[in-house]
């Protein structure tokens, strides 16, 4: 019984009320009987001590039941349902542009982490792309670790080549899901839509045929901004220039992103990063979820039913005792009942063991 616990232990604060009420009633009955003897010699019916004792015990049992005691455990498997989300993030050099506060990449990372925080039991994966695409982590439920990886993202890293190819990122995202068709699959594309390569139209048709829901979020502004780069000779930050020597201005390509979302049967969210987590969460909730796995666990066994049943039985007995004026049992009766409680389990042991052997024999034919 060392593993006994209570769901609502604060209920025990009401436990002293039962003995206090019994003591107050007993004291009042004694005073009433004493006053009655001063008025008449006739002996009336005594107070219903037995019925009141049963009521006090019923109150104690009800309090224990209300505390919801639990002891022992049973093995169980809890199915975990959810949806799958693959975040596809642009980490090309154009994402360093500062036409939005803190820069495009930081805005995209903040929106991605806020989206991950709202996933609950869903799985998330991350694909990054520039000129080509890579899986940064596969589908996982470890949301804390996922946000740590998102925090480390930078543009121009060694595992992607230069350029921008959202088509490559979306192709890799589709491979993350696998070939089986399951419900509850969403791709979130975070990009400025600038200098896209590959064949986005073909990729959009693949997404539509797969049944995956595509959400496209723009990062940046239509006015755009220059792209800051580090001059290796001077170690100073300068603007990236084109072949004619003029600074390159990167702009949010919303017409293309809208067309890409429409061709895939998805939705263009817009360029408001604060709206991204809510839209993604709403889309995931609207899709039918799938059973991702089962988690073994040990569940505590509820025992409040025993005490609730005891309280009800004591109330019935108290009503019967009061109705028929049942008095408290004598000392000899109590001793005999105690002897029976000690002897009966011992007598029943051999019968119980024989019965169990019989059941085992029957189970083995």
């Amino acid at each position: 019984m060392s593993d006994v616990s209570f769901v609502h232990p604060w209920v025990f604060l009401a436990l002293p009320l039962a003995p206090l009420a019994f003591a107050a009633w007993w004291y009042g009955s004694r005073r009433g009987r004493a006053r009655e003897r001063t008025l008449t010699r006739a002996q009336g019916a005594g107070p219903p001590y037995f019925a009141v004792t049963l009521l006090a015990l019923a109150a104690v049992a009800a309090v224990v039941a209300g505390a919801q005691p639990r002891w022992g455990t049973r093995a169980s498997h809890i199915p975990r349902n959810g949806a799958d989300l693959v975040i596809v993030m642009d980490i090309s050099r154009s994402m360093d542009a500062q036409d939005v506060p803190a820069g495009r990449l930081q805005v995209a990372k903040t929106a991605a982490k806020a989206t991950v925080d709202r996933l609950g039991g869903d799985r998330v994966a991350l694909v990054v792309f520039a000129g080509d695409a890579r899986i940064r982590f596969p589908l996982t439920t470890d949301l804390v670790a996922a946000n740590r990886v998102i925090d480390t993202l930078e543009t121009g890293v060694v595992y992607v080549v230069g350029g921008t190819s959202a088509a490559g990122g979306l192709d890799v995202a589709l491979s993350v899901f696998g070939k089986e068709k399951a419900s509850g699959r969403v791709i979130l594309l975070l990009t400025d839509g600038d200098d896209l390569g590959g064949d986005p139209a073909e990729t959009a048709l693949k997404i539509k045929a797969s049944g995956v829901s595509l959400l496209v979020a723009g990062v940046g502004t239509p006015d755009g901004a220059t792209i800051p780069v580090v001059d290796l000779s001077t170690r100073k930050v300068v603007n990236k220039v084109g072949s004619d020597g003029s600074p390159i201005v990167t702009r949010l390509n919303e017409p293309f992103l809208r067309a890409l979302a429409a061709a895939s049967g998805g939705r263009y969210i817009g360029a408001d990063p604060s709206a991204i987590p809510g839209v993604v969460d709403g889309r995931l909730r609207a899709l039918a979820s799938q059973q991702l796995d089962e988690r073994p666990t040990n569940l505590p066994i509820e025992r409040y039913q025993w005490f609730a049943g005891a309280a009800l039985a004591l109330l019935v007995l108290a009503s019967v005792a009061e109705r028929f004026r049942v008095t408290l049992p004598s000392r000899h009766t109590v001793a005999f009942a105690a002897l029976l409680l000690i002897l009966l389990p011992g007598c029943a042991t051999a019968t119980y063991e024989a019965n169990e052997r019989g059941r085992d024999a029957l189970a083995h034919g």
Side-chain angles (χ1 to χ4, degrees):
M1 298 288 287
S2 60
D3 60 343
V4 177
S5 61
F6 299 91
V7 179
H8 307 295
W10 55 267
V11 175
F12 282 115
L13 294 175
L15 196 58
L17 296 179
L20 287 175
F22 179 81
W25 175 87
W26 180 82
Y27 178 74
S29 297
R30 296 271 296 183
R31 290 192 60 184
R33 292 280 288 176
R35 189 175 300 136
E36 182 183 356
R37 282 196 294 270
T38 62
L39 298 176
T40 179
R41 294 182 179 179
Q43 296 238 351
Y49 290 109
F50 187 52
V52 175
T53 301
L54 292 176
L55 286 174
L57 292 175
V60 172
V63 170
V64 177
Q68 205 169 335
R70 303 181 296 184
W71 65 82
T73 59
R74 58 182 176 87
S76 179
H77 289 80
I78 300 177
R80 187 173 59 83
N81 297 325
D84 289 338
L85 170 69
V86 177
I87 299 175
V88 181
M89 188 175 298
D90 186 351
I91 58 169
S92 62
R93 287 292 187 184
S94 62
M95 293 293 285
D96 283 329
Q98 302 292 310
D99 52 346
V100 290
R104 292 180 183 178
L105 182 62
Q106 186 57 49
V107 166
K109 288 162 59 174
T110 301
K113 291 193 296 180
T115 301
V116 169
D117 288 337
R118 298 184 64 162
L119 290 183
D122 305 314
R123 295 187 300 184
V124 63
L126 176 64
V127 173
V128 295
F129 71 92
D132 64 352
R134 295 286 186 274
I135 299 174
R136 287 294 280 117
F137 56 81
L139 289 168
T140 179
T141 56
D142 191 344
L143 305 183
V144 175
N147 273 343
R148 288 200 190 106
V149 174
I150 293 173
D151 255 333
T152 64
L153 294 180
E154 295 179 357
T155 62
V157 290
V158 294
Y159 48 78
V160 291
V161 300
T164 307
S165 177
L170 294 175
D171 280 330
V172 173
L174 284 176
S175 70
V176 172
F177 292 119
K179 294 182 179 180
E180 68 279 359
K181 288 192 175 182
S183 57
R185 299 184 300 173
V186 176
I187 293 176
L188 171 63
L189 174 62
L190 294 164
T191 180
D192 53 22
D194 186 38
D195 191 25
L196 293 166
D199 188 0
E202 182 182 350
T203 303
L205 293 177
K206 288 181 184 178
I207 294 173
K208 190 172 185 178
S210 69
V212 175
S213 181
L214 175 64
L215 297 175
V216 181
V219 183
T221 64
D223 293 335
T226 56
I227 303 174
V229 293
V230 176
D231 188 334
L232 297 179
S233 60
T234 63
R235 299 293 180 181
K236 293 181 179 181
V237 177
V238 296
N239 293 326
K240 187 176 182 180
V241 297
S243 57
D244 59 354
S246 60
I248 297 175
V249 177
T250 172
R251 294 178 174 83
L252 173 63
N253 192 349
E254 286 192 306
F256 174 81
L257 297 180
R258 287 195 180 93
L260 176 63
S264 65
R267 175 185 172 188
Y268 177 62
I269 299 176
D272 181 5
S274 63
I276 295 173
V279 173
V280 176
D281 181 65
R283 185 57 183 158
L284 289 171
R285 301 289 78 80
L287 295 173
S289 62
Q290 57 180 318
Q291 182 172 322
L292 301 177
D293 55 35
E294 282 190 342
R295 179 169 56 89
T297 186
N298 290 323
L299 300 177
I301 302 176
E302 303 284 350
R303 309 288 186 176
Y304 70 91
Q305 303 94 330
W306 296 5
F307 296 94
L312 180 61
L314 289 169
L315 285 173
V316 173
L317 290 176
S319 300
V320 172
E322 186 177 12
R323 173 69 178 81
F324 296 100
R325 307 299 294 180
V326 178
T327 59
L328 287 169
S330 65
R331 285 177 295 173
H332 299 291
T333 304
V334 172
F336 180 70
L339 183 62
L340 284 178
L341 290 175
I342 295 172
L343 294 179
L344 284 177
C347 297
T349 301
T351 305
Y352 175 79
E353 291 177 352
N355 182 61
E356 288 301 302
R357 288 196 298 270
R359 293 181 61 180
D360 290 340
L362 179 63
H364 291 85

